[in-house]
Amino acid sequence: MGEGRRYLALSFPLLPTDRLRRHGFALDAPLVLVEKARGAMRLVAADLMARRLGLLPGLALADARARVPELVAEEIDRHGDGRFLARLADACDRYSPMVAVEGDDALVLDITGCIHLFGGEAELAADAVQRLTGLGLHVRKAGAGTPEAALALARFHRGPVTDERAAVLGLPVAALGVPEETLRALRRAGLKTIGDLAVRPTAPLSARFGAGMAWALARLLGRADSRITPRRAPPALVFSRAFAEPIGHMAHVMHALGELAGQAAHELEARGKGGRRFAATLFRSDGDVRTLEVETGAPMRDPAVLMRLLEARIEALSDPIDPGFGFDLVRLAVPALEALDDAQLRLGEAQALEGSLSALVDRLSTRFGRGRIRRFLPRDTHVPEQAAQAVPAVAAAPARWAPPEAGEPPLRPLHLFSPPQPIDVLAEVPDGPPMRFRWRGGTHDVLRQEGPERIASEWWHDVRRIAPPRDYYRVEDKSGHRFWIFRDGAEMPPAPRWYLHGLFP
Amino acid sequence: MRATAEQLRALRQEVAGLERWQAETTPRRMPLGHAEADAALGGGLEVGRLHEVFAGHGADAASATGFAAMLAARLGGSLVWLRQEQVGREGGALHAPGLSEIGFDPARLVLGLLPDPLTVLAAAGEAARCPGVGVVLVELWRMPRPLDLTATRRLALAAETSGVSVLLLRVEAQAQASAAQTRWQVHSLASVPLEANAPGHPALSVELTRQRSGPPGGPWQMEWDRDRGIFRAWDGGGAALSGPQLPLAAHG
């Protein structure tokens, strides 16, 4: 099946109730989760205790309560379950960088090429199941040559798999994952298992039950190639260090990361490459995962600089890293490689110096967040709010700004209000700016003014945002405060509205 | 915060080194262009020092900010401007085209928007220690608790060690004890009108209220000459009328 690739599917049939139980919820009573459907609260999930009592999803809550009065019912939190599944996927990063979330209850890992690290597929799967069970989860696992087969076996096969192909053929048609009406049609035609379908020619099946069914069958049987879509693109380079005994001291963790940074530098140098982003992932032995990312303005590979950035990142964490029972795996990933040869290094030496502005930008962005440290890029537009684009400084090189026109006073304000501030006009003249206006409790008598400068909205960029043109004036009051104000809308009644948009020095 | 003997010793050594360094070098001075102000400063504003710029009133925030940005333009190099995120709502967001219009190239600007005064000061300390930076502009509104004498001493020390000029811009604040080299108070000033009574070039009333190495001075009335990048004397008092100029009839 599939050109020798191997997939491991992990299915969590009781994930919503397992998640609540982890928080010590209703430990000795049957637990069900409900949701409003077809005009009544109905069960959508039930734990093992409830299932043994015959309380299955689909049942109305009122009926379930009548049968089992001591029942504990909670409303289902699908977002919470989704986040929890995503965290489980993070935890499974330790087995393979290619992890996909399937539906709301399963993960599929592409373990091709990772198996030898664990001494075999069975060992890898057993380790995963042991860890996940340790988190209080019910887990089913299956390995196969296609993601669909692995997932179908994990969800529908009972007992150990000795012959993979036979096991797939023995699965019920529900394992295809096709809509309910297709399943009903298949069952009516007497086709109950995948094996019943596999022996028949594809064309008539496709004609009768739809191309979707034929496609699902081909992928399940490995006749069509299929791959998983990992949650994240796998990084270009990964360096890991596993510990037989979990380590609880951050100093030891940093030491291990320092070694990995050294390995990374060595490998990057050999390839003539560098990285602009680095991610350190700390896997706790109980399944918790912390990832620390740092970013630099220019490609680099110096382990000392990288470690300083990581230390700054850790210092800046609002919730400090809790080693718990210790970390048993640390990993350093370089998501993408960028060219960095010796010539560039020499050229960039001045830039890469610790005291340079770009090094400062890297440090500040790491410490305070990349979105907080910005540069401005000019944009070719008349709309004042859009004339400058603020971008993270680590991600942008300085751009060229056109110099102002000689001899003119500043025509654009140093401070811009967003949104513009409404002002009360106390005295006005027909064709000009107000003679007196009130803003924030202060009254301003206009002594000098220039305008109007008409600025129209650029409707050709986005027709949904057609705004009336604005007439801008530069005005100065008696005390020498200079403002940028505009009149909104047409000159027609009702009375035009005036806004203060900016302040000049 | 209690310093251990070890930290104290290290600090003493650092200070001793700084004093040696200070004795060996005379500070570079950057003339403003305004003759009287430069004379009062002993030739110009000292580079690589901490200077404070106060807005006279809340309404003078734009003038004081403008003055600080103009000083940054004169001092040269790249500018790291640090302000609190929420200040943008009250005082307006920093508008890069407007910065360009007063003669500071926005390409040389890195803006840090930080959550609170403590992080502003932390970032300022980091930036002031970085010799690749020309000017660090630290904008703090009102009287934040973390900004005390010790905090200004740290900034002043960092500036002297690295040669970075640090401008501490204070809005709606009263002067307090600080380690700054100079302290300025800025008020808005009516501009010299252009043709058709249009508002003219930025005009400021600037007072040197305190300096470590000399007496205070001013206030001086200045106009910012963007094209030459200097402050010049403002002469709007007599020559210009503060209203539309009406042609007088030849015969009364």
Side-chain angles (χ1 to χ4, degrees), chain A residues 23 55 82 93 125 154 171 211 226 247 259 274-275 298 301 341 343 365 369 378 397 439 446 459 471 476 484 494:
Chain A
H23 301 299
L55 307 179
D93 264 350
L171 288 173
S226 76
I247 51 173
E259 285 178 8
R301 58 179 178 237
D341 54 31
S365 305
W439 175 56
V446 174
W459 52 267
D471 284 336
E476 181 177 312
W484 207 34

Side-chain angles (χ1 to χ4, degrees), chain A residues 355-356 363 367 372 374 384 399 404-405 407-409 411 413-417 440 447-449 474 476 479 481-482, chain B residues 59-60 85 90-93 95 98 100-101 107 110-113 126 130 132 188-191 194 197 199 203 226-227:
Chain A
S356 74
R363 285 201 301 275
R367 197 164 156 195
R372 292 195 174 277
R374 305 175 181 181
E405 203 171 319
E408 290 277 1
L411 301 177
L414 186 55
H415 291 114
L416 195 75
F417 288 101
R440 284 183 179 169
L447 211 60
R448 312 187 205 292
Q449 52 101 350
R474 291 194 305 122
E476 181 177 312
S479 326
H481 300 122
R482 284 166 283 276
Chain B
D60 295 322
E85 201 172 19
E90 206 173 334
H95 192 47
S100 168
E101 294 263 1
V110 171
L111 174 68
L113 294 178
E126 179 112 39
C130 179
S188 57
L189 178 66
S191 64
L194 304 175
N197 198 33
R226 189 230 9 245
D227 297 333

